[in-house]
Structure formats: structure tokens, C-alpha cells
Amino acid sequence: MPKFLPASLALALSLPIGAMADTTSDVRALQKEMKAMRADYEARLKALEQRVKSAEAAASVPSTATAKATAPATATPAATTTTADITATGTGTWSPPTTVAQPAPQATPANSAAPAAVASSGGGASSFNPALSLILSGGYTRTTRDPADYRITGFPLPPGAEIGPGTRNFSLGETELGFSASVDPWFRGAANISVAADNSVSIEEAFVETTALGKGFTLKGGRFFSGIGYLNPQHAHTWDFVDAPLAYQAMLGTQYGDDGVQLKWIAPIDQYLELGAELGRGRTFPGSDRDANGAGMYALYAHTGGDIGVSNSWRAGISMLNAKASDQALTSFDGAGMPFASQFTGNSRVYVLDGVWKWAPNGNATRTNFKLQGEYLRSQRDGSMVLGADGALPSPYNVTQSGWYLQGVYQFMPNWRIGLRTERLDPGTPSFGLDTGLVGTAYRAKKNSIMLDWNPSEFSRIRLQFAQDRAREGKPDNQISLQYQMSLGAHGAHSY
């Protein structure tokens, strides 16, 4: 056998052994590196856990008095918040409210201590603080007619009714201070304090409502804007125009709010369906405050809506408000335009049909969108009227009046919108049981408005509006308004 053959065999056998040695060395190095990474990860995790424990210890207050303050941490979100909520731009597609999809928290058993369970939630004392918001509004108004003489021909209204364009020149608009917070796992509360340009202060809303009734029900009690119609429940700073439509001014005193209770139910179905009922004092127009037991107002309404494809959504509703009035002071005008005092006692019933359609390409309203909105109101007043000086005999009185508005708002580029609104009123023909010598007017008030607004963000808006107002017979009024609106602090999304 040649001498080189054994040497060749020895070399061939040594190669796999060397490769195995190299592989073993690589595996050991990899294992060592993984152990180092694991040790570093565990060290980081322990440090993070320690920081969380330190934060919880700093946030907790070891006292019985503050244990209840942690209740809001376990409270569910407000029942009025829905997935259809949208920002101040007023755009977005509709989807059913989250109150349908979210299960209600289980009630605390009778034999358990609710405060103890709440205190264990881990929330700090700061969780009890309410969310604060401040709406600043103001601007400049120019009119060709004196706003002090503003009236709506054919519609008797209480003296001092907040109608018309407001004061001329520079003025401070309505400043609104809002508070809201969870009370505990079962209730939340909210209040809105309004400061008018004349420095008068009023409580617009102050109510509590349930968050855990379940089955789609929500109960509210206190002072609040009625849920009738589309525009009425919304605060003025969310409106698309400077002022409310003439129909709202003439038949609801601009915006109807009352002291009472409200029950809403949202059906647990794919189609959005909301039913509501209200019972109240009836203290504001078209009712009047009465020194009597029993409700002076009740309201019923139903709203439904849905999506059409991915770019369109809609909502429609029907409402009815019934309010009682007793010796309600009104200011009317005769055929010559001269004012005279009157007092109405009886019932007022207002029906509202509302609808809104929104379009945003592929559901994205950031760049461009369009909203078409309209409402029809019909008012029936039936009772007695005292005309002229005190001591006059009451005369049977009834009248049916109506009005409507239609508006469209188009966002043609980011942050910029333009809108048009047209509206009409029909004063009807009042019927007096006695020969009073008064006759109704055939004049139908009307108004056309155009607005342009710039929205740098969801919290700021500057709006320019021009309106030709023909609410006063024979006295057309050209109105120019420059308005700013700024939202400070915590401010929730607006409803659809």
C-alpha cells in the first residue's frame, strides 16, 4: 500500500471532527449571548415594575375620606357618548351608539360594601376632579335696522325674548363654562353656566344621568336642553350658523330647555333607533312657569339613522312637545305695526320633523365633506287670550303656525367651509271667539344666509356671515356678522 494512503485517510477523518468543534463553539457563544439578553430584559422589567409601584403609591391616599374619591376610576363612560360622536367640524359617518355594544357593569351585591370595592380600583384623588371647559365667543355685528326693534311679524313672543341678531358693533358673545365628571359607577353629572354679553349669568344645563341602567336605557334628571328636533339639544357653539333659524326663535324661544326628567332607550339592533320621553316643569316658552303641582310639559321623540355605503350617512326624527301656559305675557303687533300687550292661557303643542344627510368620500371627512340639514316645525296654540289693559275679558283663541329651514354646509378644502341657509315662516290665521277687531297678517317672514368659516383646529373657529332678514314686514335688514369661537380645556366630541 502506498505510504500516502494512510495519511489521506487520517486527514479525511479529521475534517468532520474539526467542523463539529467549530459548531459547538458557535452554539456556546450564541447561548451565552442569549443569557445576557435575557438578564438585561429581566432587569429592565423589574425596573419598570418598580416605577409602576412607586407611581401607584404616590397616587394613593391612605384615608377613608378619600377612598370614595376613587369611585370615578371605575365609572363607565358617559352613556351619551356614542361612536357616532364627531368633532367640531361636524363631519363623519354614522355608526350605532357604543351604549348598545358595551355591557353594563354588574351591580354590587347587597351584602358587599360598595365603597370598599371602589377604593380598590387604584385611582388617585385627582380622578375625582371634574373635566373643565370654557367656550369663548364674540365678534362684530353690523345691521341696517335697529336690533332693539327686532320682531317676527305674526308671532307673539314674551317681552325680552332672545331673538334677532343681537347688539350692534363689537360685543362679547355667550361665554360658556362647563363641568362634567363621573359621580360613581352608576351616575355622572354635568353643568353648563352661561354668561351673556350683558353680564347676566344663567344655568343652561345642570343634570345627573345614569351610566349603568343597561338594556340601552339612560335616565337624566335636572335642567337640560330637550331632545326634540335636531338642533335643539346642541349647544350654540356647535351650530353651523351664527344664529338659530327663525322657526326655532318663533316657536321654541330660540332653544327649549326645562327642569325635569328624561328617559332614552337605544334599541339593540343594527339600525340606529332612539326613543325618548321627557316630563318637566314647563317653565320656558312656549310654556310658562306655573305655581302648581304636576308637570307643565311633556315631550316624545324618535330618531333613526344609518349608513349608505362607506361615504354616506343619515339621520331622521319626529318629535312632539306639549307645554302649558298660564297668564303668559306676550307682545303682539296690530296691522299698523303698533305693539300691544296680551296674556295667553292654554296649551301649546309643537311638532318637529328633522333630517340630516352627510357625505364624506370613503368616510374620510378630513379634506372635504358635505352636510345637508333641515327641519319643519308646526305649532298649535289653543286656549284663551286677554287683550289690552288689565281687566279685559279673555277671548277664546287658537292658531296654527309653521316654519322650516334648509341648509347645506360644504367643506371644500381642509379647515374651510361655506354654507347656505334659507327659511320661511307661516303665521297662520288666529281665531278669536269674540269680536276683537284684530285680524291676522298674511305676511310670511323669510331669511337667507351665507357663511364662510375657517377652522384652524377642532377647538377654534372664525366665521363671517351675511344674512338678508325679512322677519319684519316692510323692513328688510341686511346683517353682517364676524364671529370667533374658542374652546379651552376638556371638551367632549359632539353628537351626530
Side-chain angles (χ1 to χ4, degrees), residues 144-197:
T144 56
R145 301 284 180 180
D146 187 357
D149 297 332
Y150 191 86
R151 64 178 183 271
I152 303 176
T153 299
F155 289 82
L157 291 171
E162 296 181 0
I163 60 175
T167 60
R168 286 170 164 170
N169 214 316
F170 292 99
S171 64
L172 184 65
E174 181 184 78
T175 300
E176 182 182 298
L177 180 62
F179 304 84
S180 63
S182 295
V183 179
D184 52 32
W186 302 277
F187 297 96
R188 68 177 291 268
N192 292 91
I193 302 174
S194 173
V195 182

Side-chain angles (χ1 to χ4, degrees), residues 324-392:
K324 298 178 181 179
S326 179
D327 296 330
Q328 182 183 62
L330 300 173
T331 299
S332 305
F333 295 85
D334 58 21
M338 299 302 294
F340 63 90
S342 60
Q343 290 183 336
F344 172 74
T345 299
N347 289 332
S348 295
R349 182 167 292 183
V350 182
Y351 298 92
V352 185
L353 295 176
D354 66 87
V356 61
W357 169 67
K358 296 183 180 182
W359 167 84
N362 297 316
N364 182 6
T366 304
R367 296 192 58 84
T368 182
N369 60 80
F370 178 74
K371 178 169 69 171
L372 182 66
Q373 171 186 329
E375 294 186 73
Y376 172 81
L377 284 76
R378 184 179 181 87
S379 171
Q380 296 176 344
R381 310 205 82 186
D382 187 11
S384 62
M385 182 82 79
V386 176
L387 302 171
D390 294 340

Side-chain angles (χ1 to χ4, degrees), residues 100-465:
V100 175
Q102 291 181 345
Q106 294 181 355
T108 305
N111 60 353
S112 64
V118 172
S120 65
S121 64
S126 61
S127 64
F128 185 74
N129 294 334
L132 301 179
S133 67
L134 181 66
I135 307 298
L136 300 177
S137 179
Y140 178 85
T141 301
R142 178 183 177 88
T143 66
T144 56
R145 301 284 180 180
D146 187 357
D149 297 332
Y150 191 86
R151 64 178 183 271
I152 303 176
T153 299
F155 289 82
L157 291 171
E162 296 181 0
I163 60 175
T167 60
R168 286 170 164 170
N169 214 316
F170 292 99
S171 64
L172 184 65
E174 181 184 78
T175 300
E176 182 182 298
L177 180 62
F179 304 84
S180 63
S182 295
V183 179
D184 52 32
W186 302 277
F187 297 96
R188 68 177 291 268
N192 292 91
I193 302 174
S194 173
V195 182
D198 61 358
N199 296 328
S200 62
V201 180
S202 63
I203 306 296
E204 279 193 342
E205 292 190 293
F207 60 83
V208 294
E209 66 179 350
T210 61
T211 60
L213 278 185
K215 306 296 184 181
F217 286 96
T218 303
L219 182 64
K220 178 188 293 186
R223 177 172 297 180
F224 50 86
F225 290 133
S226 174
I228 61 172
Y230 178 73
L231 198 63
N232 193 80
Q234 303 178 21
H235 286 258
H237 68 271
T238 68
W239 297 349
D240 292 319
F241 288 80
V242 171
D243 49 0
L246 289 177
Y248 267 75
Q249 297 184 42
M251 286 175 270
L252 293 175
T254 299
Q255 190 170 21
Y256 188 79
D258 202 3
D259 300 346
V261 293
Q262 177 193 78
L263 180 65
K264 286 185 178 180
W265 177 67
I266 298 178
I269 56 177
D270 293 337
Q271 174 78 17
Y272 170 62
L273 176 62
E274 178 190 64
L275 303 179
E278 297 172 0
L279 201 63
R281 183 184 183 95
R283 62 184 182 87
T284 58
F285 185 83
S288 67
D289 210 354
R290 304 174 308 120
D291 184 16
N293 295 318
M297 177 278 291
Y298 67 88
L300 301 171
Y301 47 87
H303 299 127
T304 186
D307 293 334
I308 303 176
V310 296
S311 301
N312 300 275
S313 60
W314 63 278
R315 203 201 82 160
I318 182 171
S319 310
M320 186 275 292
L321 168 72
N322 189 89
K324 298 178 181 179
S326 179
D327 296 330
Q328 182 183 62
L330 300 173
T331 299
S332 305
F333 295 85
D334 58 21
M338 299 302 294
F340 63 90
S342 60
Q343 290 183 336
F344 172 74
T345 299
N347 289 332
S348 295
R349 182 167 292 183
V350 182
Y351 298 92
V352 185
L353 295 176
D354 66 87
V356 61
W357 169 67
K358 296 183 180 182
W359 167 84
N362 297 316
N364 182 6
T366 304
R367 296 192 58 84
T368 182
N369 60 80
F370 178 74
K371 178 169 69 171
L372 182 66
Q373 171 186 329
E375 294 186 73
Y376 172 81
L377 284 76
R378 184 179 181 87
S379 171
Q380 296 176 344
R381 310 205 82 186
D382 187 11
S384 62
M385 182 82 79
V386 176
L387 302 171
D390 294 340
L393 294 176
S395 171
Y397 173 81
N398 65 79
V399 65
T400 299
Q401 302 171 314
S402 62
W404 58 268
Y405 76 90
L406 181 67
Q407 67 184 49
V409 178
Y410 176 55
Q411 180 175 306
F412 55 92
M413 62 184 297
N415 307 329
W416 287 91
R417 305 189 310 161
I418 188 171
L420 295 172
R421 183 173 73 186
T422 184
E423 43 193 316
R424 300 290 187 274
L425 294 180
D426 182 355
T429 303
S431 174
F432 295 91
L434 301 177
D435 185 9
T436 61
L438 295 176
V439 294
T441 175
Y443 181 76
R444 298 188 177 188
K446 56 186 177 181
K447 184 178 179 181
N448 296 306
S449 307
I450 181 172
M451 76 84 184
L452 175 70
D453 65 24
W454 175 51
N455 303 271
S457 71
E458 299 175 1
F459 309 102
S460 59
R461 170 176 294 164
I462 297 176
R463 175 187 288 133
L464 178 65
Q465 178 174 310

